[in-house]
Amino acid sequence: MDILRWLFEAKLDFPRGGFLLWREVLGNLFGLASALGGMRRKVWAWPVGIVGNALLFTVFMGSVFGSPVYANLLGQAGRQLMFIAVSIFGWYRWKQSQRDPNGAAVEPKWASSRVRLALVIAMIGGTAVLTPIFSALGSYPPVWADAWIFMGSLLATFGMAKGWVEFWLVWVAVDVVGVPLLFGAGYYASAFMYIFYGAFTLTGFFIWWRVRNRNAERVTVETAFPDPKVSR
């Protein structure tokens, strides 16, 4: 119980009333570890991310959990619950398809043109639908930004589970909107982490792109020059 009490109450104070919640710092560190695992296509990325999501949920629902940060970001809090649900799906999917001898659990691939169009429509349409809902529930303004982050996070996490290379670009779109929103709401640790994630997600995109091209070249070579042992 003492550990839980410390976890919920501990904060790092700065001059002029500034502070950081240790829960927010720890939650983002778990999220960073999960992102690193996702870049390397490791199954453990999912359960590690779930721990971070649980911590950040308590942070963004500030008044409910007695946080000294008064702004409730309902989109940010709701997306943590969404992360947990989708992460369970991704965890199961990657574990079931784990075949790579190096421990990779998914083979990156490009989404089809139809899927890309569906992602764009879902991103814009979902933001438009959720904005008035989050407004009615009292989310921090500008509410459309909170809704944008929620939808982008949902689509990016689902895209990661499916192995689409484009999911990294969805995260970039989330980070661009998330940084000013989090700074304005006073969640400084998360805002700085979003800045780092912006560069990190671009790196992840190019890494997955290279892996996808390397796999495609291998398949082309194997098709052109089949192993004679297989045909026997």
Side-chain angles (χ1 to χ4, degrees):
M1 293 299 295
D2 290 339
I3 294 178
L4 288 177
R5 186 178 298 110
W6 174 86
L7 186 62
F8 275 83
E9 296 177 356
K11 57 187 175 70
L12 180 63
D13 293 304
F14 297 108
R16 299 181 181 179
F19 61 88
L20 286 178
L21 295 174
W22 280 113
R23 275 180 292 146
E24 186 179 2
V25 175
L26 290 173
N28 279 293
L29 288 176
F30 273 98
L32 174 60
S34 177
L36 287 169
M39 181 185 292
R40 298 177 61 196
R41 296 172 290 142
K42 301 296 185 180
V43 174
W44 56 257
W46 297 103
V48 168
I50 289 174
V51 175
N53 300 146
L55 287 171
L56 290 175
F57 173 76
T58 68
V59 171
F60 292 120
M61 290 298 291
S63 62
V64 175
F65 291 91
S67 169
V69 179
Y70 299 113
N72 288 335
L73 292 179
L74 301 181
Q76 289 282 354
R79 81 176 188 140
Q80 306 306 321
L81 298 179
M82 174 274 299
F83 277 153
I84 292 173
V86 180
S87 293
I88 293 173
F89 163 74
W91 188 0
Y92 173 80
R93 182 181 178 88
W94 280 29
K95 194 165 183 61
Q96 288 295 107
S97 61
Q98 191 173 25
R99 295 185 295 268
D100 193 292
N102 295 320
V106 67
E107 185 170 309
K109 58 183 178 293
W110 293 111
S112 66
S113 298
R114 181 176 298 180
V115 169
R116 291 177 183 175
L117 178 61
L119 290 174
V120 172
I121 293 174
M123 187 78 167
I124 297 174
T127 300
V129 170
L130 290 175
T131 297
I133 296 175
F134 287 172
S135 296
L137 293 173
S139 192
Y140 188 82
V143 182
W144 71 265
D146 206 16
W148 174 271
I149 292 170
F150 181 91
M151 281 305 305
S153 301
L154 171 62
L155 296 173
T157 307
F158 181 73
M160 177 178 171
K162 299 287 286 185
W164 296 330
V165 178
E166 291 89 345
F167 93 88
W168 292 103
L169 297 181
V170 180
W171 277 129
V172 172
V174 169
D175 296 335
V176 168
V177 173
V179 170
L181 176 66
L182 291 168
F183 270 123
Y187 292 101
Y188 302 113
S190 295
F192 280 114
M193 285 301 298
Y194 269 46
I195 294 175
F196 176 78
Y197 280 146
F200 180 84
T201 51
L202 282 175
T203 302
F205 170 72
F206 288 112
I207 288 176
W208 273 44
W209 188 354
R210 287 197 298 269
V211 171
R212 184 267 169 195
N213 289 343
R214 186 169 63 244
N215 291 345
E217 291 174 0
R218 187 190 69 240
V219 171
T220 300
V221 171
E222 291 176 351
T223 302
F225 305 98
D227 188 342
K229 295 181 181 179
V230 176
S231 59
R232 290 178 184 178

